[in-house]
């Protein structure tokens, strides 16, 4: 079987003469379908072009010629319409069996069974479709599909030069509307900022796709790779985050992609097929984008975004078009607009003028989010169509706290924003003043307020907020941003640094919580197709199933806590025996180290996370063996209500102040108190003042929350009469009102409770 490069090159050699001829565009397309059909021994080859918003059959070999310029399909209609709308490749052995198949009788295609089609892409959007069909039912080989994709790239140049299809590509310099507009997104990095819109990256338009000299193109790519790697090394060396933070590990992973041999090999293969250096990079990048659309795993998708970032960088270098907004320099306070960003690209910007970032894509676990958090730059993500809605130079008011941005604001919008910003700054100052104050209620009861963390730098929040310690350190973060399983020495360094920074304040390390929606691409998972990953092979289940992984972490934690107290907590415990087995594994490692004379922790305190409701039914079996219990309200809520918290239609449907949640939590208080086991809530619920007030009313005395929530929670606690609240909660839960949230808010207002 010929290689993909050989198959594509055979076709491109013949297409070169067609492209260079002086014949009309229609005649060229007629020749193209003949060449592709013959080369692939395919009875049908057709080209559809997007004209006036519909896909028009423009040239064909094998279908009825009377259908040319007559057969038309809307975007999303039929197989061709689906390919164009989704910018996806289809390869079917029986076209009629596909749910989107639409029969067009005038084409005479009823006798053809096999079908393969690829989008013709210009500036990231489909301007047409190239497809082949065959009478025998069989799927086309991968080399044939790659050859089709390469031909489609060449066709995009011909189509653009002849102005045959609808104009497409990056959004125009001005948006469709110039009116003031509120645009919603996803909170990635909290904060508020104002500035003028600057587009991160003008798209590079590839003018020439077919190479004259393959070796010359290869040398151009080699030189561009060398220059790109120099840039990455320089940026990594100049990053101003100090030594050893997780953001540094992100950059190391990013560098790994820059040196990835598989990526450079794929570009070389594309050049072998006859493409120019620019077209080869774009060809591989298109393949990456198509793979990204098929990836459900958000972490894998984030790594593909890093690769796309590097592709864009390489493309700019090889084309000589180096003009990102960062390289051209920011001239004023800027809100950066991008489809997505890699961490290295963000680091290139002048941090004095970069006030915020808006992404069309982005996620909470993306590398750029980690780096932006370290830089203190607010980021709003998942803003659909942002590059159509916002124009270059528009004034933007970014409020990630409210998950929105105001574009081209009216005077009233600007005034309201300034008022909110001023109030936020005053509140932050007031909350900062509370860092030396203890969370003591009006009746003199001392509560414990701790913070959740996952980055080494998060430990600084202890001093900034005056929190009592770290109630949840998410150890999996180090695993999620690494390209390979972190070695024991690396884990040990992180845990020791965290304990050193915390000083005499307690740190509760949650053992690795991976799997489900936090899958690791470097672990060979058997659960890739789990229908319900949140309830699947994850957290403690996965760790006990891979004892080697947990033993390494246990050793690292035990060594890091030598001479101190180690607090370790196991996530998603469903049965008491799971806790017992995890504890036994740690104890076995402690005995192994003791037998070799290693220095050990002075004390080990073991805890469990109660996220699975079943565990509450077995507290009498669990409590004698644990030192503390933490309730993970995020997972607990979705399990109690059978509601996927990642589903936007369900995210706001079930309230944390539901009687079902509150009654469930109340059941935990008396047994844990009687067993002398500390009970804490760690989760988003505890970080909201009204919800935290309700928890305190149930008798819960320990909260572990985000650092930003410590000030507001302290203010609420210090304004609270705890006995009065607890009595009121008993009354409410005995006969729950229809609106529990409203009832609690009404009580708080009348009682003078401060709810920031």
């Amino acid at each position: 079987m010929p290689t993909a490069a050989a198959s594509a090159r055979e076709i491109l050699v013949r297409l070169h003469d067609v492209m260079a001829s002086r014949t009309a565009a229609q005649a060229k397309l007629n020749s193209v379908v003949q060449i592709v059909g013959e080369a692939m021994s395919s009875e049908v080859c057709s080209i559809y072009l997007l004209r006036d918003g519909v896909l028009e059959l423009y040239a064909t070999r094998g279908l009825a010629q009377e259908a040319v310029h007559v057969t038309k399909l809307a975007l999303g209609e039929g197989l061709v319409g689906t390919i164009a709308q989704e910018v996806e490749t289809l390869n079917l052995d029986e076209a009629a069996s596909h749910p989107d198949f639409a029969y067009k009788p005038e084409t005479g295609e009823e006798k053809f069974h096999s079908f393969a089609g690829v989008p013709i892409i210009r500036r990231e959007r489909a301007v047409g479709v190239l497809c082949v069909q065959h009478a025998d039912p069989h799927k086309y080989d991968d080399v044939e599909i790659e050859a089709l994709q390469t031909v489609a790239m060449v066709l995009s140049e011909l189509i653009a030069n002849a102005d045959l299809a609808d104009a497409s590509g990056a959004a125009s310099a001005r948006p469709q509307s110039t009116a003031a507009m509120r645009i919603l997104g996803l909170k990635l990095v909290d904060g508020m900022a104002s500035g003028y819109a600057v587009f991160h990256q003008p798209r590079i338009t590839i003018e020439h796709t077919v190479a004259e000299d393959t070796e010359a193109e290869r040398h151009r790519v080699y030189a561009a790779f060398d220059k790109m790697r120099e840039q990455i090394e320089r940026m990594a060396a100049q990053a101003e985050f100090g030594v050893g933070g997780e953001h540094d590990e992100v950059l190391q992973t990013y560098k790994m992609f820059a040196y990835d041999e598989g990526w450079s090999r794929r570009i070389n293969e594309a050049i072998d097929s006859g493409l120019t250096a620019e077209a080869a990079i774009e060809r591989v990048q298109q393949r990456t984008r198509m793979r990204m659309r098929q990836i459900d795993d958000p972490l894998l998708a984030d790594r593909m975004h890093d690769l796309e970032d590097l592709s864009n960088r390489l493309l700019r270098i090889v084309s000589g078009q180096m003009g990102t907004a960062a390289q051209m320099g920011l001239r004023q306070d800027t809100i950066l607009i991008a489809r997505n960003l890699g961490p290295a690209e963000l680091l290139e910007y002048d941090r004095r003028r970069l006030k915020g970032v808006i992404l069309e894509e982005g996620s909470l676990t993306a590398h750029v989010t980690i780096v932006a958090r370290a830089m203190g730059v607010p980021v709003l993500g998942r803003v659909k169509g942002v590059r159509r809605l916002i124009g270059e130079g528009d004034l933007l008011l970014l409020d990630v706290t409210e998950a929105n941005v105001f574009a081209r604001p009216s005077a009233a919008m600007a005034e309201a924003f300034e008022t909110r910003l001023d109030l936020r700054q005053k509140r932050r100052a007031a909350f900062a003043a509370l860092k030396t104050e203890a969370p003591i209620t009006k009746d003199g009861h001392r509560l414990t307020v701790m913070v959740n963390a996952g980055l080494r730098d998060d430990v600084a929040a202890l001093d900034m907020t005056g929190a009592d310690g770290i109630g949840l350190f998410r150890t999996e973060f180090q695993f999620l941003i690494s390209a390979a399983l972190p070695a024991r020495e690396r884990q040990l360094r992180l845990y020791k640094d965290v304990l050193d920074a915390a000083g005499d304040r307690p740190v509760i390390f949650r053992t690795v919580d991976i799997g489900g929606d936090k899958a690791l691409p470097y672990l060979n998972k058997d659960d890739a197709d789990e229908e319900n990953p949140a309830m699947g092979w994850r957290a403690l289940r996965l760790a006990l199933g891979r004892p080697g992984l947990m033993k390494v972490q246990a050793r690292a934690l035990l060594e890091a806590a030598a001479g101190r107290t180690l607090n370790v907590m196991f996530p998603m415990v469903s049965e008491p025996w799971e806790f017992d087995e995890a504890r036994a594994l740690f104890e076995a490692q402690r005995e192994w180290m003791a037998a070799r004379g290693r220095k050990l922790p002075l004390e080990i305190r073991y805890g469990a996370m109660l996220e699975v409701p079943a565990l509450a039914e077995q507290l009498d079996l669990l409590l004698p063996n644990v030192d503390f219990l933490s309730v993970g309200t995020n997972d607990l809520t979705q399990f109690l209500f059978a509601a996927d918290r990642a589903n936007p239609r369900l995210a706001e449907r079930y309230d944390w102040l539901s009687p079902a949640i509150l009654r469930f939590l109340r059941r935990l208080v008396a047994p844990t108190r009687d067993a002398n086991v500390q009970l804490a809530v760690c989760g988003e619920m505890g970080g909201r003042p009204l919800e935290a007030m309700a928890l305190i009313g149930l008798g819960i005395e320990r909260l572990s929350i985000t650092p930003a929530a410590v000030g507001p929670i302290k203010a609420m606690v210090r304004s609270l009469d705890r006995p009065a609240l607890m009595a009121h909660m008993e009354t409410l839960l005995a006969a729950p009102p229809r609106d529990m949230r409203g009832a609690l808010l009404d009580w708080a207002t009348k009682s003078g409770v401060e709810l920031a």
Side-chain angles (χ1 to χ4, degrees), residues 572-646:
M572 203 178 174
V573 178
S574 305
E575 295 262 20
W577 69 260
E578 291 176 330
F579 171 84
D580 295 339
E581 193 170 313
R583 177 174 178 156
L585 186 149
F586 264 75
E587 287 297 310
Q589 292 305 302
R590 174 160 69 166
E591 291 169 10
W592 184 90
M593 291 173 64
R596 286 156 180 77
R598 307 284 176 83
K599 193 174 180 183
L600 294 167
L602 297 176
E603 178 189 11
I604 305 178
R605 299 178 71 248
Y606 291 101
M609 284 199 74
L610 196 157
E611 301 159 279
V612 180
L615 191 62
E617 300 299 329
Q618 304 177 80
L619 288 181
D620 58 321
L621 304 176
L622 176 73
L623 292 178
N625 299 319
V626 299
D627 297 297
F628 58 92
L629 192 67
S630 279
V631 182
T633 52
N634 294 358
D635 268 333
L636 177 65
T637 304
Q638 72 171 342
F639 296 152
L640 275 175
F641 286 116
D644 182 1
R645 65 183 181 179

Side-chain angles (χ1 to χ4, degrees), residues 3 85 162 177 203 238 270 287 294 341 348 362 399 556 581 585 627 706 754:
T3 64
Q85 184 175 57
S177 170
R203 278 300 298 169
Q238 292 174 354
R287 181 181 176 190
Q294 298 166 355
L341 278 174
E348 287 184 314
D399 188 348
E581 193 170 313
L585 186 149
D627 297 297
T706 62
E754 185 174 335

